[in-house]
Amino acid sequence: DKAISPSEDPVLLERADGIAWVTLNRPAKRNAISPPLVYRMVEVLAELESDDSVKVVVLTGAGNAFSAGMDLRDYFRATDGKPAEQMKLFRANALWQWKQLRFFAKPTIAMVNGYCFGGAFTPLISCDLAIASDDATFGLSEINWGIIPAGVVNRAVAQVMNERDAMYYVMTGEPFDGRKAARMGLVNESVPADQLRARVIELADILKKKNPTVLRTAKIAYRHAEDMSWEQANDYLMAKYDQAILHDPEKGRATAMSQFLDQKTFRPGLETYAR
Ligand code: ACO
């Protein structure tokens, strides 16, 4: 049982069927993000990125929380007045929360099983996809304790939420549930708690069937293109299109084209080619 895990490791890592389950593991502290958790996540993500057995990464939390955000005691108060230590810690946090996760070489899914506050929004939004439990509790709670949503929280929120919703929650700090998060597009969907894991596995299984070279290039290209002008995006995306074809060891494009045009064995509008 994850809730009573005896492990002292702030991050649990399990691999099964091509999925790496990364579990923030400080359930007694609602998986608040402490310095050891930050430094461990940097290592875990680096390890998973180069592990060929891992096709999809799922980020979740132990117990009844995804993560209660940054640890007020160990991340904030403990580093107050120590600018060098703070800079090192905050930089490492940015590294795992968005520099590694947003551009991760494999698809990532946030499985939001419970509380998700403040600083936890950054890794949530950095994951490519997010599925929440209907009864998960989200909140941009920074305003409630006298800070603004910083790190890159305000920037990340602006990426996925519309301005009215974002400003409402940035300014009120009001909590909302998984259903509401899904309606606002903060997560892809919400499901009853007892179906959460099964739905995430189902989604991971879809991703596992895709050509990994093309999947990696598609998601990273999407991330970069969204910040470009149309002219730049066009040129950049065509270069990435060529890159994916060039780097693809399974020559997916040629195989799929032949299966559709010559053998007439699959329809790309409706399914993935036979790999
Ligand atoms: N930082 C440090 N400790 C935390 C945090 C946190 N973000 N969240 C929970 N904890 C600790 C509590 O201090 C408590 O520790 P203790 O048992 O040693 O006293 C333990 O986790 C359990 O917390 P409770 O409040 O007792 O648990 P409860 O289930 O009643 O409430 C809740 C959970 C709602 C998550 C509450 O703990 C809470 O509001 N946490 C803060 C959420 C938040 O605003 N996070 C900061 C966002 S801003 C940012 O991240 C930049």
Side-chain angles (χ1 to χ4, degrees):
D1 187 335
K2 285 196 294 180
I4 52 166
S5 168
S7 170
E8 293 294 309
D9 196 330
V11 181
L12 293 182
L13 176 54
E14 298 155 76
R15 295 171 176 83
D17 303 324
I19 304 175
W21 298 87
V22 179
T23 304
L24 306 177
N25 186 43
R26 301 182 69 221
K29 300 288 185 183
R30 308 299 179 257
N31 308 320
I33 298 164
S34 61
L37 189 149
V38 166
Y39 292 116
R40 185 71 189 118
M41 276 305 298
V42 172
E43 291 172 359
V44 164
L45 290 177
E47 180 185 327
L48 294 178
E49 202 157 35
S50 56
D51 181 341
D52 288 342
S53 75
V54 173
K55 308 298 178 200
V56 179
V57 171
V58 177
L59 180 66
T60 190
N64 68 349
F66 176 71
S67 167
M70 309 318 297
D71 190 305
L72 270 64
R73 185 194 309 275
D74 298 345
Y75 186 87
F76 286 120
R77 187 193 270 170
T79 62
D80 280 351
K82 299 173 185 162
E85 190 181 322
Q86 199 173 60
M87 191 181 286
K88 178 178 170 223
L89 176 61
F90 287 16
R91 190 190 296 122
N93 191 54
L95 183 57
W96 86 266
Q97 288 201 337
W98 60 276
K99 296 185 189 197
Q100 284 174 300
L101 259 186
R102 259 177 85 70
F103 301 98
F104 204 71
K106 301 166 186 194
T108 52
I109 305 173
M111 182 170 92
V112 186
N113 53 306
Y115 292 122
C116 178
F117 291 111
F121 273 55
T122 303
L124 164 69
I125 293 167
S126 294
C127 285
D128 303 317
L129 303 168
I131 311 291
S133 168
D134 286 340
D135 60 4
T137 303
F138 296 79
L140 289 164
S141 57
E142 286 90 340
I143 193 76
N144 293 341
W145 65 281
I147 69 164
I148 75 161
V152 291
V153 170
N154 267 341
R155 176 66 184 84
V157 162
Q159 194 70 47
V160 292
M161 288 169 76
N162 78 47
E163 187 166 306
R164 289 287 178 221
D165 289 331
M167 289 297 264
Y168 184 90
Y169 289 106
V170 164
M171 295 175 71
T172 66
E174 201 175 284
F176 54 93
D177 68 10
R179 291 184 191 86
K180 177 88 189 178
R183 282 201 297 277
M184 295 189 297
L186 177 60
V187 300
N188 293 91
E189 61 191 82
S190 75
V191 295
D194 62 359
Q195 293 167 29
L196 182 61
R197 196 179 164 91
R199 176 63 185 128
V200 167
I201 291 173
E202 188 178 71
L203 185 55
D205 284 344
I206 293 171
L207 298 169
K208 275 162 31 184
K209 293 199 179 82
K210 307 296 177 192
N211 179 320
T213 308
V214 182
L215 195 53
R216 176 178 75 234
T217 313
K219 60 162 274 189
I220 292 176
Y222 179 93
R223 299 283 194 201
H224 286 297
E226 64 193 356
D227 293 328
M228 292 179 187
S229 71
W230 283 51
E231 285 78 7
Q232 288 170 328
N234 191 185
D235 194 52
Y236 162 78
L237 288 172
M238 289 315 300
K240 297 299 279 189
Y241 164 94
D242 285 340
Q243 184 192 45
I245 293 169
L246 198 71
H247 285 182
D248 182 9
E250 60 180 68
K251 304 286 172 230
R253 182 182 184 274
T255 304
M257 215 185 265
S258 171
Q259 286 177 11
F260 179 53
L261 298 177
D262 306 326
Q263 297 151 43
K264 297 191 184 295
T265 51
F266 103 113
R267 292 170 296 171
L270 305 179
E271 62 208 327
T272 300
Y273 70 94
R275 290 177 53 216

